[in-house]
Amino acid sequence: DTVLEKKCMGLKREYENAAYVNGVCLVALREVEKVSHAKWPELHKKCIMLNGYRGALANIPDRPFLVRMFKSGLLKIKTQYYIGARQDPIPDCSNVGGSCQGEDQLKNWFFFDEAGKKIGNVSKDIWNNQEPNNQDPSESIAVLERFICLDSYMGGINDANPDKSGYQPLCQFTDYLACTNGYILIRDRCYKVINTEPKSAVAAKTVCENEGGTLASIHDDAMNAIIIDYSRNEVKTPVDKPIRFGLGYGDSWANDDATPADFFRWWDQAGCGVPTPFKSGNVRAALVVSAKARNPDPSYWIVANDNDALPFLCQKSPTKAYDSA
């Protein structure tokens, strides 16, 4: 676990709820806050309770991140939360009776950081159905809610008027470390599954090295499970293609990044056969993402020939996201 993840679980005991999602600590505060549109930026100050980490109202980049939030159990059903998004400037819709329609409703919705700087547009795929509807011209802040329905991962954001109702702030804290170019932060390393162009072991290793890293190493069950979830749900790795990583066989098993080969999860551990005896360094481990009939269950490893063209997992060191406080 990262230090931030451990601290996040500590906040869960102090506040209404907390969850660690994609390298971000999300915290739902208990107190309902009622503010004007002009005073809305001050809500970011409610999110300063974790020394050494940047705190602000939550930033939701896309629908997959939103679904992971719902899966975490962070949000109460039928409760609305302030997030870090608002409409600014508010479009002038006086020519249509004061209520914006169609594309005008989606104009100028941005996420803002604690300094008031725009940090990204609000993605269309995180709005609830038929939102924003802007029934009142002053519905200019975004609130997040989760629905009661058969699919427990349904929900999204609405436009709302902070002057009329109060909501609970949803805060987020980001780690000191950051990943770029499609990599995600897991613990203290950046990882990326490349499945659009399956490659041999030599070619995969070259791609990872050209991106400043190596084929990845896996050291425990928790990491193995995180990689499986990321591969299956985020990058949609094909079910018939296991993922090659940096554990290869020469005289013995060794990781490309020179870390100890201290964890194995072979298919034989499930009682389904022993890996082929190895006499030369032409094989590598591969992680099974999704099971099919007579194939290994997800999360176990199989042996793949170096010449097999497979998706692969790269890792590299993160960069510093910002100066520590």
Side-chain angles (χ1 to χ4, degrees), residues 98-109:
S99 293
C100 294
Q101 304 294 322
E103 287 298 314
D104 285 333
Q105 297 172 348
L106 292 167
K107 285 182 178 178
N108 306 332
W109 285 95

Side-chain angles (χ1 to χ4, degrees), residues 128-192:
N128 282 327
N129 189 34
Q130 298 182 342
E131 299 288 348
N133 58 22
N134 209 9
Q135 295 299 319
D136 185 320
S138 59
E139 288 187 340
S140 55
I141 58 101
V143 294
L144 174 65
E145 65 179 336
R146 178 181 167 189
F147 297 149
I148 297 177
C149 60
L150 294 177
D151 183 349
S152 61
Y153 307 140
M154 290 293 290
I157 64 172
N158 293 337
D159 53 338
N161 184 341
D163 294 312
K164 288 185 176 180
S165 301
Y167 309 100
Q168 295 171 230
L170 181 63
C171 301
Q172 77 171 35
F173 300 90
T174 52
D175 216 322
Y176 293 137
L177 307 176
C179 301
T180 57
N181 299 327
Y183 283 78
I184 66 167
L185 182 68
I186 302 175
R187 298 178 179 169
D188 61 350
R189 291 289 183 272
C190 298
Y191 295 86
K192 179 166 71 171

Side-chain angles (χ1 to χ4, degrees), residues 159-310:
D159 53 338
N161 184 341
D163 294 312
K164 288 185 176 180
S165 301
Y167 309 100
Q168 295 171 230
L170 181 63
C171 301
Q172 77 171 35
F173 300 90
T174 52
D175 216 322
Y176 293 137
L177 307 176
C179 301
T180 57
N181 299 327
Y183 283 78
I184 66 167
L185 182 68
I186 302 175
R187 298 178 179 169
D188 61 350
R189 291 289 183 272
C190 298
Y191 295 86
K192 179 166 71 171
V193 171
I194 298 176
N195 60 15
T196 53
E197 296 183 29
K199 295 187 181 297
S200 68
V202 172
K205 184 176 179 180
T206 299
V207 170
C208 294
E209 290 175 350
N210 288 342
E211 296 198 355
T214 63
L215 283 167
S217 58
I218 300 176
H219 294 279
D220 54 52
D221 272 319
M223 171 63 72
N224 202 69
I226 292 170
I227 295 298
I228 285 288
D229 184 68
Y230 161 60
S231 302
R232 182 189 297 147
N233 297 318
E234 301 296 321
V235 296
K236 311 296 183 186
T237 300
V239 297
D240 60 342
K241 294 291 185 181
I243 298 172
R244 190 191 310 279
F245 57 102
L247 181 66
Y249 191 87
D251 296 329
S252 60
W253 287 104
N255 286 313
D256 279 10
D257 64 359
T259 57
D262 52 6
F263 173 76
F264 301 94
R265 191 171 170 79
W266 296 119
W267 181 223
D268 69 296
Q269 290 176 242
C272 300
V274 178
T276 305
F278 306 112
K279 296 181 180 179
S280 62
N282 66 342
V283 291
R284 285 179 180 269
L287 177 60
V288 177
V289 175
S290 186
K292 298 179 74 174
R294 297 181 300 279
N295 282 354
D297 286 335
S299 82
Y300 282 99
W301 302 354
I302 60 173
V303 173
N305 191 284
D306 273 5
N307 292 325
D308 295 341
L310 297 175

